[in-house]
Amino acid sequence: MQGLPVGAAKAIFAEAALYKKNRRNPEQLPLKGQTWAMIFSKSSTRTRVSFEVGIRELGGESLFLNANDIQLGRGEPIADTARVLGRMVHGAVIRTFAQQDVVDFANYAKIPTVNALTDDEHPCQILTDVFTYEEKRGSIVGKKVAFIGDAACNVARSWVYAAEYFKFNLVLAAPEGFESSVTNAHVKQVRSPEEAAANADLLYTDVWISMGKEAEAAERIKAFNGYQINSKLLSLAHKDALVLHCLPAYRGKEITEEIMTSRAEDIFDQAENRLHVQKGILHWLAHSRNA
Ligand code: CP
Ligand code: NVA
Protein backbone atom coordinates (compact mmCIF):
# COMPACT_ATOMS: atom_id res chain seq x y z
CA MET A 1 0.00 0.00 0.00
CA GLN A 2 3.01 2.24 0.50
CA GLY A 3 3.05 4.48 -2.54
CA LEU A 4 -0.18 3.12 -4.04
CA PRO A 5 -1.93 6.15 -5.55
CA VAL A 6 -5.27 7.23 -4.07
CA GLY A 7 -8.02 5.54 -6.05
CA ALA A 8 -5.78 2.74 -7.32
CA ALA A 9 -7.16 0.15 -4.89
CA LYS A 10 -10.69 1.01 -6.00
CA ALA A 11 -9.72 0.46 -9.65
CA ILE A 12 -7.90 -2.78 -8.77
CA PHE A 13 -10.89 -4.10 -6.79
CA ALA A 14 -13.30 -3.25 -9.62
CA GLU A 15 -11.17 -5.20 -12.12
CA ALA A 16 -10.70 -8.06 -9.62
CA ALA A 17 -14.48 -8.39 -9.22
CA LEU A 18 -14.91 -8.48 -13.02
CA TYR A 19 -12.14 -11.04 -13.47
CA LYS A 20 -13.70 -13.15 -10.71
CA LYS A 21 -17.12 -12.98 -12.38
CA ASN A 22 -15.80 -13.66 -15.88
CA ARG A 23 -13.07 -16.13 -15.00
CA ARG A 24 -13.99 -18.60 -17.73
CA ASN A 25 -14.83 -15.98 -20.30
CA PRO A 26 -12.02 -13.43 -20.31
CA GLU A 27 -12.57 -10.44 -22.49
CA GLN A 28 -9.22 -8.82 -21.86
CA LEU A 29 -5.68 -10.14 -22.22
CA PRO A 30 -3.57 -7.18 -21.01
CA LEU A 31 -0.38 -9.30 -20.75
CA LYS A 32 -0.65 -10.82 -24.23
CA GLY A 33 2.82 -11.38 -25.70
CA GLN A 34 4.54 -10.67 -22.36
CA THR A 35 6.81 -12.83 -20.19
CA TRP A 36 6.95 -12.17 -16.44
CA ALA A 37 9.75 -13.40 -14.15
CA MET A 38 8.79 -14.79 -10.74
CA ILE A 39 11.91 -14.57 -8.54
CA PHE A 40 11.35 -16.40 -5.25
CA SER A 41 13.85 -16.73 -2.39
CA LYS A 42 11.25 -18.12 0.06
CA SER A 43 8.65 -20.91 -0.07
CA SER A 44 5.18 -20.20 -1.42
CA THR A 45 1.98 -22.00 -2.35
CA ARG A 46 -0.72 -19.33 -2.73
CA THR A 47 1.37 -16.44 -4.04
CA ARG A 48 3.28 -18.52 -6.55
CA VAL A 49 0.27 -20.36 -7.94
CA SER A 50 -2.05 -17.35 -8.00
CA PHE A 51 0.50 -15.20 -9.84
CA GLU A 52 1.48 -17.94 -12.30
CA VAL A 53 -2.15 -18.78 -13.10
CA GLY A 54 -3.12 -15.09 -13.14
CA ILE A 55 -0.36 -14.13 -15.59
CA ARG A 56 -1.43 -16.97 -17.91
CA GLU A 57 -5.09 -16.03 -17.67
CA LEU A 58 -4.16 -12.47 -18.68
CA GLY A 59 -2.47 -13.79 -21.82
CA GLY A 60 1.14 -13.76 -20.60
CA GLU A 61 3.77 -16.36 -19.79
CA SER A 62 5.50 -16.76 -16.44
CA LEU A 63 9.04 -17.86 -15.77
CA PHE A 64 9.55 -19.23 -12.26
CA LEU A 65 13.07 -18.52 -11.01
CA ASN A 66 13.98 -20.02 -7.67
CA ALA A 67 16.63 -17.59 -6.42
CA ASN A 68 18.91 -20.53 -5.62
CA ASP A 69 18.79 -21.77 -9.22
CA ILE A 70 19.96 -18.49 -10.74
CA GLN A 71 23.30 -16.74 -10.19
CA LEU A 72 21.62 -14.45 -7.63
CA GLY A 73 21.82 -17.36 -5.18
CA ARG A 74 25.61 -17.56 -5.74
CA GLY A 75 26.12 -13.89 -5.02
CA GLU A 76 25.42 -12.01 -8.26
CA PRO A 77 24.17 -8.57 -7.16
CA ILE A 78 20.43 -7.87 -7.36
CA ALA A 79 21.21 -4.77 -9.47
CA ASP A 80 23.00 -6.83 -12.13
CA THR A 81 20.26 -9.48 -12.08
CA ALA A 82 17.74 -6.67 -12.57
CA ARG A 83 19.67 -5.09 -15.45
CA VAL A 84 19.75 -8.43 -17.26
CA LEU A 85 16.14 -9.40 -16.65
CA GLY A 86 14.92 -5.89 -17.42
CA ARG A 87 16.19 -6.35 -20.97
CA MET A 88 14.42 -9.69 -21.40
CA VAL A 89 11.12 -9.81 -19.50
CA HIS A 90 8.19 -7.42 -19.24
CA GLY A 91 7.57 -7.55 -15.49
CA ALA A 92 8.69 -9.23 -12.28
CA VAL A 93 7.11 -10.65 -9.15
CA ILE A 94 9.58 -10.94 -6.28
CA ARG A 95 9.46 -12.77 -2.93
CA THR A 96 12.59 -12.18 -0.89
CA PHE A 97 14.05 -11.15 2.47
CA ALA A 98 15.18 -7.51 2.21
CA GLN A 99 12.59 -4.94 1.12
CA GLN A 100 15.44 -2.92 -0.41
CA ASP A 101 16.08 -5.73 -2.91
CA VAL A 102 12.61 -5.21 -4.41
CA VAL A 103 13.20 -1.45 -4.61
CA ASP A 104 16.66 -1.95 -6.18
CA PHE A 105 15.31 -4.51 -8.64
CA ALA A 106 12.57 -2.11 -9.79
CA ASN A 107 15.04 0.77 -10.14
CA TYR A 108 17.60 -1.18 -12.15
CA ALA A 109 15.24 -3.35 -14.22
CA LYS A 110 12.91 -0.45 -15.08
CA ILE A 111 9.98 -2.85 -15.51
CA PRO A 112 6.82 -3.23 -13.39
CA THR A 113 7.90 -5.04 -10.21
CA VAL A 114 5.47 -6.55 -7.71
CA ASN A 115 6.33 -7.22 -4.05
CA ALA A 116 5.21 -10.81 -3.38
CA LEU A 117 6.40 -10.66 0.28
CA THR A 118 9.52 -9.41 1.98
CA ASP A 119 10.57 -9.44 5.64
CA ASP A 120 8.81 -6.05 5.91
CA GLU A 121 5.65 -6.22 3.80
CA HIS A 122 3.07 -8.41 2.09
CA PRO A 123 0.95 -5.87 0.18
CA CYS A 124 -0.79 -8.22 -2.29
CA GLN A 125 -2.05 -10.27 0.65
CA ILE A 126 -3.57 -7.33 2.49
CA LEU A 127 -5.14 -5.84 -0.65
CA THR A 128 -6.80 -9.24 -1.08
CA ASP A 129 -7.88 -9.30 2.56
CA VAL A 130 -9.55 -5.89 2.32
CA PHE A 131 -11.23 -6.96 -0.96
CA THR A 132 -12.47 -10.13 0.79
CA TYR A 133 -13.80 -8.19 3.77
CA GLU A 134 -15.67 -5.77 1.49
CA GLU A 135 -17.01 -8.60 -0.70
CA LYS A 136 -18.50 -10.28 2.36
CA ARG A 137 -19.42 -7.39 4.68
CA GLY A 138 -19.36 -4.11 2.69
CA SER A 139 -17.13 -1.07 3.12
CA ILE A 140 -14.24 -1.44 5.58
CA VAL A 141 -14.16 2.33 6.24
CA GLY A 142 -14.46 2.99 9.99
CA LYS A 143 -14.53 -0.70 10.91
CA LYS A 144 -12.43 -2.27 13.68
CA VAL A 145 -9.81 -4.77 12.54
CA ALA A 146 -8.03 -6.80 15.25
CA PHE A 147 -4.67 -8.37 14.44
CA ILE A 148 -3.64 -10.97 17.02
CA GLY A 149 -0.04 -12.19 17.21
CA ASP A 150 3.26 -11.08 15.66
CA ALA A 151 2.70 -7.36 15.09
CA ALA A 152 6.35 -7.02 14.03
CA CYS A 153 5.85 -9.25 10.98
CA ASN A 154 5.39 -8.34 7.32
CA VAL A 155 1.64 -9.04 7.25
CA ALA A 156 0.97 -6.82 10.29
CA ARG A 157 3.01 -3.99 8.80
CA SER A 158 1.02 -4.10 5.59
CA TRP A 159 -2.15 -3.96 7.72
CA VAL A 160 -0.76 -0.78 9.34
CA TYR A 161 -0.30 0.84 5.92
CA ALA A 162 -3.73 -0.40 4.83
CA ALA A 163 -5.42 1.17 7.89
CA GLU A 164 -4.23 4.59 6.76
CA TYR A 165 -4.98 3.98 3.08
CA PHE A 166 -8.50 2.54 3.56
CA LYS A 167 -9.42 4.50 6.74
CA PHE A 168 -10.28 1.72 9.19
CA ASN A 169 -9.22 1.27 12.82
CA LEU A 170 -6.54 -1.34 13.40
CA VAL A 171 -5.77 -2.74 16.83
CA LEU A 172 -2.62 -4.85 17.04
CA ALA A 173 -2.35 -7.20 20.03
CA ALA A 174 1.18 -8.51 20.50
CA PRO A 175 3.43 -9.65 23.34
CA GLU A 176 6.37 -7.54 24.48
CA GLY A 177 9.11 -7.42 21.88
CA PHE A 178 6.78 -8.13 18.96
CA GLU A 179 5.17 -4.71 18.51
CA SER A 180 4.99 -3.01 15.13
CA SER A 181 7.77 -0.49 14.56
CA VAL A 182 5.53 1.51 12.23
CA THR A 183 2.24 3.14 13.14
CA ASN A 184 -0.17 5.93 12.18
CA ALA A 185 -3.29 7.68 13.45
CA HIS A 186 -5.50 4.67 12.58
CA VAL A 187 -3.49 2.18 14.63
CA LYS A 188 -3.53 1.25 18.32
CA GLN A 189 -1.08 -1.22 19.84
CA VAL A 190 -2.15 -3.21 22.90
CA ARG A 191 -0.92 -6.17 24.91
CA SER A 192 -4.31 -7.82 25.46
CA PRO A 193 -5.85 -9.97 22.68
CA GLU A 194 -9.22 -9.52 24.46
CA GLU A 195 -8.99 -5.73 24.22
CA ALA A 196 -8.19 -6.00 20.50
CA ALA A 197 -11.00 -8.47 19.84
CA ALA A 198 -13.69 -6.56 21.77
CA ASN A 199 -16.38 -5.56 19.27
CA ALA A 200 -14.04 -6.13 16.30
CA ASP A 201 -15.51 -6.47 12.80
CA LEU A 202 -12.59 -8.55 11.58
CA LEU A 203 -10.33 -10.90 13.55
CA TYR A 204 -7.07 -11.65 11.78
CA THR A 205 -3.93 -13.61 12.54
CA ASP A 206 -0.75 -14.88 10.93
CA VAL A 207 1.86 -17.49 11.83
CA TRP A 208 3.92 -17.03 15.01
CA ILE A 209 7.09 -18.05 13.17
CA SER A 210 7.53 -16.25 9.88
CA MET A 211 9.86 -17.53 7.16
CA GLY A 212 13.42 -16.73 8.18
CA LYS A 213 12.60 -16.78 11.94
CA GLU A 214 12.85 -20.55 12.40
CA ALA A 215 15.84 -20.25 14.75
CA GLU A 216 13.59 -18.34 17.19
CA ALA A 217 10.85 -20.99 17.16
CA ALA A 218 11.05 -22.08 20.82
CA GLU A 219 11.21 -18.51 22.15
CA ARG A 220 8.32 -17.42 19.91
CA ILE A 221 6.04 -20.33 20.86
CA LYS A 222 6.51 -19.30 24.48
CA ALA A 223 6.02 -15.58 23.84
CA PHE A 224 2.86 -15.97 21.72
CA ASN A 225 1.11 -18.35 24.11
CA GLY A 226 -2.40 -16.87 24.50
CA TYR A 227 -2.27 -14.89 21.24
CA GLN A 228 -4.68 -17.24 19.54
CA ILE A 229 -7.97 -16.85 17.69
CA ASN A 230 -10.27 -19.28 19.50
CA SER A 231 -13.99 -19.40 20.31
CA LYS A 232 -13.51 -17.45 23.56
CA LEU A 233 -11.79 -14.59 21.74
CA LEU A 234 -14.32 -14.69 18.91
CA SER A 235 -17.18 -14.41 21.43
CA LEU A 236 -15.89 -10.91 22.32
CA ALA A 237 -16.01 -9.68 18.72
CA HIS A 238 -18.98 -8.16 16.90
CA LYS A 239 -21.63 -10.84 16.32
CA ASP A 240 -21.14 -10.56 12.54
CA ALA A 241 -17.32 -10.55 12.77
CA LEU A 242 -15.34 -12.11 9.96
CA VAL A 243 -12.29 -14.28 10.71
CA LEU A 244 -9.49 -14.30 8.16
CA HIS A 245 -6.01 -15.84 8.06
CA CYS A 246 -3.42 -15.27 5.34
CA LEU A 247 -2.37 -18.96 5.56
CA PRO A 248 -0.55 -21.28 6.01
CA ALA A 249 -2.31 -21.92 9.34
CA TYR A 250 -0.83 -23.73 12.32
CA ARG A 251 -3.77 -25.19 14.19
CA GLY A 252 -3.41 -25.11 17.95
CA LYS A 253 -0.99 -22.19 17.72
CA GLU A 254 -2.29 -18.88 16.27
CA ILE A 255 -5.76 -20.34 15.57
CA THR A 256 -7.73 -23.35 16.78
CA GLU A 257 -8.85 -26.26 14.65
CA GLU A 258 -12.43 -25.40 15.64
CA ILE A 259 -12.25 -21.86 14.20
CA MET A 260 -10.39 -23.04 11.08
CA THR A 261 -13.19 -25.54 10.48
CA SER A 262 -16.13 -23.25 11.23
CA ARG A 263 -14.64 -20.33 9.23
CA ALA A 264 -13.07 -22.38 6.40
CA GLU A 265 -15.42 -21.03 3.73
CA ASP A 266 -14.34 -17.43 4.35
CA ILE A 267 -10.65 -18.24 4.82
CA PHE A 268 -10.38 -20.28 1.63
CA ASP A 269 -12.43 -17.70 -0.32
CA GLN A 270 -9.76 -15.27 0.90
CA ALA A 271 -7.05 -17.57 -0.48
CA GLU A 272 -8.89 -17.84 -3.83
CA ASN A 273 -9.22 -14.07 -3.99
CA ARG A 274 -5.42 -13.80 -4.24
CA LEU A 275 -5.85 -14.87 -7.87
CA HIS A 276 -8.56 -12.34 -8.71
CA VAL A 277 -7.05 -9.38 -6.88
CA GLN A 278 -3.58 -9.98 -8.31
CA LYS A 279 -5.11 -10.12 -11.80
CA GLY A 280 -6.59 -6.73 -10.90
CA ILE A 281 -3.12 -5.51 -9.85
CA LEU A 282 -1.48 -6.77 -13.06
CA HIS A 283 -4.28 -5.24 -15.14
CA TRP A 284 -3.85 -1.91 -13.35
CA LEU A 285 -0.06 -2.03 -13.88
CA ALA A 286 -0.50 -2.82 -17.60
CA HIS A 287 -2.93 0.06 -18.05
CA SER A 288 -1.18 2.64 -15.89
CA ARG A 289 2.06 1.92 -17.80
CA ASN A 290 0.32 2.37 -21.14
CA ALA A 291 -1.42 5.53 -19.98
N1 CP B 1 -0.40 -16.21 2.21
C1 CP B 1 0.65 -16.48 1.41
O1 CP B 1 1.33 -15.60 0.90
O2 CP B 1 0.85 -17.81 1.17
P1 CP B 1 2.11 -18.46 0.46
O3 CP B 1 3.29 -18.29 1.37
O4 CP B 1 1.71 -19.90 0.28
O5 CP B 1 2.34 -17.78 -0.86
N1 NVA C 1 4.40 -13.74 8.06
C1 NVA C 1 4.42 -14.91 7.23
C2 NVA C 1 3.50 -14.78 6.07
C3 NVA C 1 3.38 -16.02 5.22
C4 NVA C 1 2.48 -15.81 4.04
C5 NVA C 1 5.86 -15.18 6.75
O1 NVA C 1 6.56 -14.23 6.40
O2 NVA C 1 6.26 -16.34 6.75
Side-chain angles (χ1 to χ4, degrees):
M1 255 69 58
Q2 282 284 78
L4 192 65
V6 177
K10 202 171 169 198
I12 289 168
F13 289 177
E15 286 305 327
L18 283 175
Y19 279 123
K20 185 168 184 174
K21 197 165 150 225
N22 300 320
R23 170 113 196 253
R24 310 281 165 208
N25 183 23
E27 285 167 12
Q28 309 193 67
L29 296 173
L31 302 189
K32 197 165 188 238
Q34 296 194 7
T35 301
W36 279 58
M38 309 254 311
I39 307 163
F40 278 49
S41 304
K42 291 179 176 175
S43 303
S44 174
T45 299
R46 283 145 288 270
T47 309
R48 175 179 176 174
V49 175
S50 54
F51 266 112
E52 290 212 56
V53 171
I55 288 165
R56 269 176 232 173
E57 290 188 359
L58 295 181
E61 304 270 349
S62 69
L63 195 59
F64 187 78
L65 302 170
N66 181 320
N68 288 325
D69 293 341
I70 58 176
Q71 298 288 5
L72 182 67
R74 287 170 43 83
E76 184 170 19
I78 191 81
D80 291 356
T81 307
R83 283 186 277 202
V84 173
L85 292 186
R87 286 165 159 80
M88 297 182 184
V89 300
H90 301 87
V93 177
I94 305 185
R95 170 168 285 200
T96 191
F97 295 86
Q99 175 80 13
Q100 191 59 40
D101 282 352
V102 179
V103 175
D104 289 346
F105 186 95
N107 287 339
Y108 283 99
K110 299 185 174 41
I111 54 176
T113 302
V114 179
N115 180 346
L117 181 147
T118 64
D119 288 346
D120 290 353
E121 294 182 33
H122 198 2
C124 298
Q125 176 71 58
I126 279 56
L127 272 179
T128 302
D129 301 338
V130 172
F131 176 86
T132 305
Y133 181 87
E134 296 200 329
E135 185 183 47
K136 291 177 180 289
R137 297 286 191 276
S139 172
I140 201 166
V141 174
K143 299 290 182 187
K144 178 178 180 183
V145 176
F147 180 99
I148 312 295
D150 183 5
C153 85
N154 42 18
V155 165
R157 188 190 287 221
S158 285
W159 271 112
V160 168
Y161 296 143
E164 186 163 52
Y165 187 93
F166 289 101
K167 314 282 178 232
F168 57 81
N169 303 311
L170 176 67
V171 183
L172 302 163
E176 195 179 345
F178 296 95
E179 301 86 358
S180 173
S181 58
V182 294
T183 191
N184 57 56
H186 296 266
V187 178
K188 189 173 168 196
Q189 302 216 53
V190 300
R191 216 40 97 217
S192 156
E194 291 76 20
E195 184 181 345
N199 234 2
D201 298 288
L202 169 59
L203 280 190
Y204 195 99
T205 190
D206 182 14
V207 296
W208 290 348
I209 305 157
S210 284
M211 292 181 279
K213 303 288 186 193
E214 292 78 6
E216 301 170 13
E219 171 197 327
R220 284 172 171 262
I221 288 171
K222 221 168 125 192
F224 288 113
N225 184 26
Y227 287 82
Q228 181 189 63
I229 298 186
N230 52 36
S231 52
K232 201 166 151 231
L233 201 69
L234 183 56
S235 72
L236 304 173
H238 191 277
K239 62 176 180 357
D240 198 26
L242 195 63
V243 176
L244 296 178
H245 189 313
C246 60
L247 302 177
Y250 290 84
R251 292 159 172 85
K253 297 224 168 34
E254 77 277 0
I255 194 164
T256 57
E257 172 74 55
E258 185 194 359
I259 301 290
M260 274 304 291
T261 303
S262 62
R263 300 306 183 108
E265 191 72 12
D266 292 331
I267 291 169
F268 290 99
D269 280 351
Q270 173 192 8
E272 178 194 322
N273 281 340
R274 295 292 301 281
L275 171 67
H276 311 302
V277 171
Q278 287 161 192
K279 284 169 78 178
I281 293 170
L282 293 167
H283 179 107
W284 177 78
L285 280 172
H287 285 270
S288 59
R289 199 160 32 112
N290 295 338

